[in-house]
Amino acid sequence: MRRFSLTSLLSESMRGHTGWGRQWRAPEPKPRYDVVIVGGGGHGLATAYYLATVHGITNVAVLEKGWIGGGNTGRNTTIIRSNYLYDESAALYEHALKLWEGLSQELNYNVMFSQRGVLMLAHNIHDVQSFKRHVYANRLNGIDNEWLSKEECKEFCPPIDISSHLRYPVLGGALQRRAGTARHDAVAWGYARGADARGVDIIQNCEVTGIRRDASGTAIGVETNRGYIGAGRIGVVAAGHTSTVMNMAGVSMPLESYPLQALVSEPVKPIFPCVVMSNAVHAYISQSDKGELVIGAGTDQYTSYSQQGGLHITTHTLDAICEVFPQFTRMRMLRSWGGIVDVTPDRSPIIGKTPVQNLFVNCGWGTGGFKATPGSGHVFAHTLATGTPHAINAPFSLDRFRTGRLIDEAAAAAVAH
């Protein structure tokens, strides 16, 4: 891997940038690997990277049925925050946020992490009480979060309308200043580049069609459209298709898959300085580096594996945006898209072992997967390497749905699931 630096950039600029090589190889699958990761999104690539860098395990394959970053990693609204209510969630997302803060330097790749702040708006007394509870809980966990009056919200984000005549008037908001956004494609590419440089095989267009188990029931490899690949351990990180992949090993997962839509406007000059989220009106918005307003909503109301959602969801979301930001009513939308999110009953992820020996899973992130990418990969790599959960992901076991020790972030989330 050729490192990026001022010297290398200046050198290449003198010859038309013709000397850059491929960012990662395109290897053929080996007959067997120590670890096979099913899913080449951000979480899967981060897992492979930390297996190599932290645990010294480099005989690893990442199998992706499409192309790197073509799934949910490239279909989200790129919001990063750690202001979750419960201790377990706060620890996991704060771990991720701390890794985000040094990720560009770690990967030698600009992931365009921008700590512009995330502001969650309160529109009624319940919102005020709920977000203040968030603020107090976060402070107890050493996580930055502060309450702003509606005037302070307006000062922090001038486009917000704080008029009292609105259907959903703004009463205040909870602000995490360290939160922000990153470039989703760059995250996938940076992790892929770093993992490949350490010997990990990233195999695109390689769809897993089965999981092979021996006579004792232990998972020993995967069947793919490019042949059988043996594995010491298998990690499934397939987002909305996790339940389908796990069914191949006879494991039924407590997951439902829903379409989640987003859209962007035509580009305009810088006008929106932060990320604003509102559960009451079901919308969240930020501005990309290209000038587009990036807008997202809650999940569709039906289960589906389609990457397209219902039109009424996007129109409702735009109604909400125009309610809070009336100056955007004349903006034209440029494009929309959808992803497939996997949702658990308690809206918290599953990271750890499964009933099948040597088969591990990382799933159930719902609408919050991108923000957890570094932390998720870091703790899942530990779990795969050692066979035991990291202290941070131990509460997120599959077994919690049997014991009843749920982490119910459904009511604590910033947007509807």
Side-chain angles (χ1 to χ4, degrees), residues 118-119 121 157 160 272 274-278 283-286 325:
V118 171
L119 176 62
L121 298 180
C157 186
I160 296 175
F272 210 80
C274 62
V275 179
V276 171
M277 312 181 76
S278 172
Y284 44 101
I285 181 172
S286 63
F325 308 101

Side-chain angles (χ1 to χ4, degrees), residues 34-161:
D34 294 334
V35 179
V36 167
I37 296 170
V38 181
H43 290 237
L45 293 167
T47 301
Y49 175 81
Y50 291 118
L51 278 171
T53 58
V54 177
H55 302 281
I57 302 174
T58 58
N59 187 25
V60 177
V62 178
L63 308 183
E64 169 55 47
K65 73 173 183 178
W67 66 94
I68 294 302
N72 284 0
T73 297
R75 294 172 177 270
N76 63 84
T77 51
T78 74
I79 297 171
I80 296 164
R81 60 185 178 89
S82 64
N83 54 349
Y84 277 70
L85 179 62
Y86 293 106
D87 294 348
E88 299 88 347
S89 302
L92 178 58
Y93 287 101
E94 180 65 9
H95 179 57
L97 181 52
K98 288 178 178 178
L99 290 172
W100 277 112
E101 291 174 326
L103 192 60
S104 291
Q105 291 73 25
E106 165 80 16
L107 298 178
N108 184 233
Y109 202 90
N110 184 11
V111 301
M112 302 173 72
F113 179 47
S114 169
Q115 290 181 288
R116 60 188 66 182
V118 171
L119 176 62
M120 297 181 172
L121 298 180
H123 299 276
N124 51 56
I125 297 300
H126 172 74
D127 285 349
V128 172
Q129 294 172 340
S130 176
F131 287 143
K132 285 186 176 180
R133 183 187 179 201
H134 275 70
V135 170
Y136 302 145
N138 290 158
R139 287 180 177 177
L140 288 172
N141 281 312
I143 297 172
D144 67 302
N145 201 357
E146 60 189 277
W147 176 256
L148 302 185
S149 67
K150 65 178 183 180
E151 291 79 14
E152 290 172 324
C153 290
K154 177 73 172 179
E155 182 180 359
F156 184 75
C157 186
I160 296 175
D161 187 352

Side-chain angles (χ1 to χ4, degrees), residues 98-353:
K98 288 178 178 178
L99 290 172
W100 277 112
E101 291 174 326
L103 192 60
S104 291
Q105 291 73 25
E106 165 80 16
L107 298 178
N108 184 233
Y109 202 90
N110 184 11
V111 301
M112 302 173 72
F113 179 47
S114 169
Q115 290 181 288
R116 60 188 66 182
V118 171
L119 176 62
M120 297 181 172
L121 298 180
H123 299 276
N124 51 56
I125 297 300
H126 172 74
D127 285 349
V128 172
Q129 294 172 340
S130 176
F131 287 143
K132 285 186 176 180
R133 183 187 179 201
H134 275 70
V135 170
Y136 302 145
N138 290 158
R139 287 180 177 177
L140 288 172
N141 281 312
I143 297 172
D144 67 302
N145 201 357
E146 60 189 277
W147 176 256
L148 302 185
S149 67
K150 65 178 183 180
E151 291 79 14
E152 290 172 324
C153 290
K154 177 73 172 179
E155 182 180 359
F156 184 75
C157 186
I160 296 175
D161 187 352
I162 59 172
S163 304
S164 58
H165 67 271
L166 297 178
R167 181 181 180 188
Y168 297 100
V170 175
L171 303 183
L175 171 64
Q176 185 178 26
R177 295 183 185 272
R178 290 170 54 239
T181 62
R183 175 67 182 176
H184 42 41
D185 294 330
V187 175
W189 299 336
Y191 272 125
R193 179 173 174 268
D196 175 83
R198 291 160 177 83
V200 173
D201 284 355
I202 298 170
I203 305 170
Q204 301 179 82
N205 300 309
C206 184
E207 181 177 0
V208 172
T209 57
I211 296 177
R212 187 179 295 186
R213 300 169 65 179
D214 64 14
S216 67
T218 300
I220 58 172
V222 294
E223 305 284 354
T224 77
N225 61 345
R226 297 173 67 171
Y228 172 74
I229 302 173
R233 286 178 175 168
I234 302 169
V236 177
V237 199
H241 293 285
T242 296
S243 55
T244 302
V245 176
M246 294 300 289
N247 279 335
M248 299 174 186
V251 179
S252 180
M253 298 294 294
L255 296 171
E256 291 182 321
S257 294
Y258 291 90
L260 179 67
Q261 298 182 76
L263 61 162
V264 295
S265 73
E266 58 187 334
V268 293
K269 291 182 178 180
I271 186 176
F272 210 80
C274 62
V275 179
V276 171
M277 312 181 76
S278 172
N279 193 19
V281 299
H282 280 199
Y284 44 101
I285 181 172
S286 63
Q287 188 171 20
S288 74
D289 294 322
K290 294 186 292 184
E292 302 163 335
L293 295 179
V294 183
I295 300 168
T299 58
D300 280 48
Q301 298 304 308
Y302 57 87
T303 56
S304 172
Y305 289 106
S306 170
Q307 291 181 321
Q308 297 178 345
L311 180 61
H312 65 286
I313 297 293
T314 53
T315 55
H316 173 79
T317 300
L318 293 175
D319 289 342
I321 292 296
C322 292
E323 175 78 17
V324 183
F325 308 101
Q327 66 268 54
F328 295 151
T329 55
R330 297 176 63 186
M331 294 282 290
R332 290 175 291 186
M333 294 299 105
L334 188 63
R335 65 184 184 277
S336 65
W337 65 90
I340 308 167
V341 297
D342 47 331
V343 179
T344 62
D346 64 354
R347 272 45 179 180
S348 291
I350 300 169
I351 316 169
K353 298 179 178 180

